[in-house]
Amino acid sequence: MYPIAEHVSLKNLNTFRVEAHARWFTEIHQEEDLSLLFADQQWKGAARLVIGGGSNILFTRDFEGLIIRMNIPGITHQIDGESVLVHAGAGVVWNDLVLYCVERGFAGVENLTLIPGTVGASPVQNIGAYGVELKDVFHSCRAYHIKKGEVITFLPEDCRFGYRDSIFKHELKNQVIITSVTFKLSLNPQINISYGAIRQELETRHIDEPGIKDVSLVVSEIRVSKLPDPSTIGNAGSFFKNPVINEQQFVHLKSAFPDIVHYCLPNSTVKLAAGWLIEKSGWKGKQIRQTATWKNQALVIVNVGSALGSEIYDFSEEIIKDVNEKFNITLEREVNVF
Ligand code: FAD
Ligand code: NAP
């Protein structure tokens, strides 16, 4: 088992690049390490936090407990007719999994190209982009249940996947540690280019019948041009979720703001673009000390230098307040705050 280190800096373990320290820190390289770790009663009762790539986390202070970084490697696959089961360790970099699949013609994850982070974290917020969510390709995952001291298999119906949401963010938060995920992909691609940005980019390149490689490449290029690269500017992607409201609320808002950016969802609800709400509240490109909203997408908060996690949090509070005053909508943070 990997040793337990003390007073470890988390600065290079979170993509916001904020400074914070873990009282204790360990890495897990194989599933069996978890039962060895929790055989020690000290860790069963201790405050603990599991991390992958730290790309959806904001540390606002030091963590006075044990941080467990998941580093289980390995990708394998098994073809059965037109379907493929791809199995990956929790520590596999998400985009490495996407490339593994795209290179082999395994369709389903191409729209999720270049999302930072690890495979183990992907079910936690049911990652999504460009009209595809993890739940669309999720077969099952294995997770170590700390209290029970055993590994459990979770099927889709056990995970309560929702919009950027799952059971792992609620009842099972810090109770289970995902050790691997199995994805159900297809050799028969159903290309999803419902998002205008992908369609436009394919049109510009005169690609009429795109394959999964085309979609993956286009998504990758759009993302590079639009989003700040965490290796050069600290951020955790979208800071807030897009709010989903009912039709009645929407009609009211639309009369006050006729150009409001929105998407009608199947169950008579409407999704609003949080980035638009933030922009219209006067926050696009705004900077306070070392914290700012990203110039190309106001939904992304960036650390332009050496912002403290608490400053980034306070900045987000101000945004919530102003959006609420203008639109009577309370933005919910997508980023996990500690
Ligand atoms: P971490 O940030 O380390 O952890 C996130 C949460 O998951 C924490 O609560 C943690 O405790 C928990 N967790 C992590 N690993 C495990 C595990 N093995 N078992 C149990 N719990 C665990 N997200 C999207 O959905 N779509 C996007 O398009 C997208 N784009 C992004 C773009 C940028 C530039 C950035 C910086 C982030 C983006 N994100 C996006 C957010 C982020 O990449 C995802 O949420 C990703 O899944 C986080 O993975 P991670 O390994 O970094 O998780
Ligand atoms: P965008 O294309 O400018 O669109 C703005 C918002 O409108 C998005 O948040 C998206 O919602 C929604 N939208 C756009 N077209 C839609 C359609 N055809 N149907 C339904 N909803 C639509 O967004 P962007 O910032 O460049 O991001 C592109 C994609 O990458 C989005 O899916 C976004 O979620 C994802 N992304 C996520 C993060 C993150 O950290 N979570 C960071 C960067 C990008 P959805 O967000 O619900 O898709």
Side-chain angles (χ1 to χ4, degrees):
M1 204 182 82
Y2 193 82
I4 293 183
E6 291 195 59
H7 305 292
V8 171
S9 168
L10 299 170
K11 190 162 183 168
N12 292 324
L13 298 171
N14 73 93
T15 60
F16 255 126
R17 306 221 173 266
V18 295
E19 186 58 283
H21 287 82
R23 177 68 184 83
W24 293 285
F25 177 87
T26 192
E27 277 191 24
I28 297 297
H29 294 267
Q30 48 187 6
E31 202 175 73
E32 299 73 47
D33 289 349
L34 287 167
S35 33
L36 289 176
L37 175 69
F38 289 107
D40 184 337
Q41 287 302 317
Q42 179 184 4
W43 306 125
K44 254 194 157 156
R48 52 186 180 250
L49 171 65
V50 184
I51 65 168
S55 64
N56 206 12
I57 283 181
L58 175 64
F59 290 110
T60 56
R61 54 177 184 269
D62 290 343
F63 190 78
E64 297 299 336
L66 173 67
I67 291 204
I68 302 165
R69 183 163 189 247
M70 295 305 286
N71 221 342
I72 300 176
I75 311 181
T76 56
H77 70 265
Q78 199 185 329
I79 297 178
D80 181 11
E82 289 219 319
S83 73
V84 193
L85 290 183
V86 179
H87 182 81
V92 170
V93 170
W94 174 262
N95 201 48
D96 289 350
L97 171 87
V98 172
L99 297 180
Y100 179 98
C101 296
V102 169
E103 275 161 18
R104 289 166 175 76
F106 304 162
V109 284
E110 55 281 0
N111 290 42
L112 306 178
T113 300
L114 228 56
I115 296 181
T118 56
V119 162
S122 64
V124 175
Q125 78 152 7
N126 179 26
I127 57 168
Y130 297 104
V132 173
E133 291 179 315
L134 181 277
K135 72 172 172 55
D136 303 328
V137 291
F138 179 89
H139 173 275
S140 58
C141 69
R142 286 170 63 84
Y144 181 81
H145 194 293
I146 298 170
K147 227 185 210 160
K148 293 183 179 163
E150 63 186 24
V151 174
I152 297 176
T153 297
F154 286 81
L155 298 175
E157 57 271 27
D158 304 320
C159 300
R160 265 199 261 139
F161 288 126
Y163 181 57
R164 308 286 188 267
D165 204 16
S166 77
I167 197 165
F168 306 112
K169 281 183 102 168
H170 300 284
E171 287 98 303
L172 296 183
K173 186 173 178 174
N174 286 322
Q175 304 300 313
V176 300
I177 302 177
I178 297 168
T179 56
S180 65
V181 184
T182 303
F183 304 90
K184 190 169 184 187
L185 303 181
S186 172
L187 294 175
N188 180 18
Q190 304 290 317
I191 300 294
N192 179 340
I193 51 169
S194 55
Y195 275 44
I198 306 188
R199 257 195 333 270
Q200 280 153 24
E201 197 54 40
L202 288 167
E203 267 169 37
T204 307
R205 291 160 192 239
H206 306 291
I207 302 173
D208 302 327
E209 289 184 18
I212 61 171
K213 276 192 180 163
D214 300 310
V215 173
S216 176
L217 184 71
V218 160
V219 166
S220 170
E221 292 190 1
I222 299 171
R223 292 184 72 105
V224 168
S225 71
K226 193 165 180 186
L227 294 169
D229 176 359
S231 67
T232 54
I233 183 154
N235 76 92
S238 305
F239 200 90
F240 304 99
K241 288 188 192 181
N242 288 324
V244 176
I245 60 174
N246 64 39
E247 230 168 334
Q248 210 183 341
Q249 281 173 294
F250 177 68
V251 169
H252 186 67
L253 266 177
K254 174 97 175 141
S255 65
F257 305 98
D259 58 341
I260 190 163
V261 177
H262 67 281
Y263 299 90
C264 295
L265 302 180
N267 49 351
S268 298
T269 55
V270 181
K271 179 174 73 180
L272 304 177
W276 186 89
L277 300 173
I278 295 168
E279 187 176 338
K280 296 297 164 188
S281 303
W283 280 88
K284 190 166 185 183
K286 195 164 170 177
Q287 181 168 341
I288 299 177
R289 291 189 290 277
Q290 303 284 300
T291 307
T293 53
W294 184 237
K295 57 183 181 343
N296 297 333
Q297 172 51 290
L299 189 50
V300 178
I301 297 182
V302 295
N303 173 3
V304 298
S306 50
L308 301 174
S310 57
E311 288 173 341
I312 295 172
Y313 183 84
D314 292 345
F315 186 91
S316 72
E317 282 282 280
E318 291 300 310
I319 293 178
I320 292 173
K321 189 161 80 48
D322 284 359
V323 169
N324 192 280
E325 259 167 34
K326 193 169 172 84
F327 297 102
N328 195 23
I329 297 238
T330 306
L331 291 179
E332 194 186 323
R333 290 181 185 84
E334 181 179 299
V335 169
N336 301 279
V337 177
F338 294 97

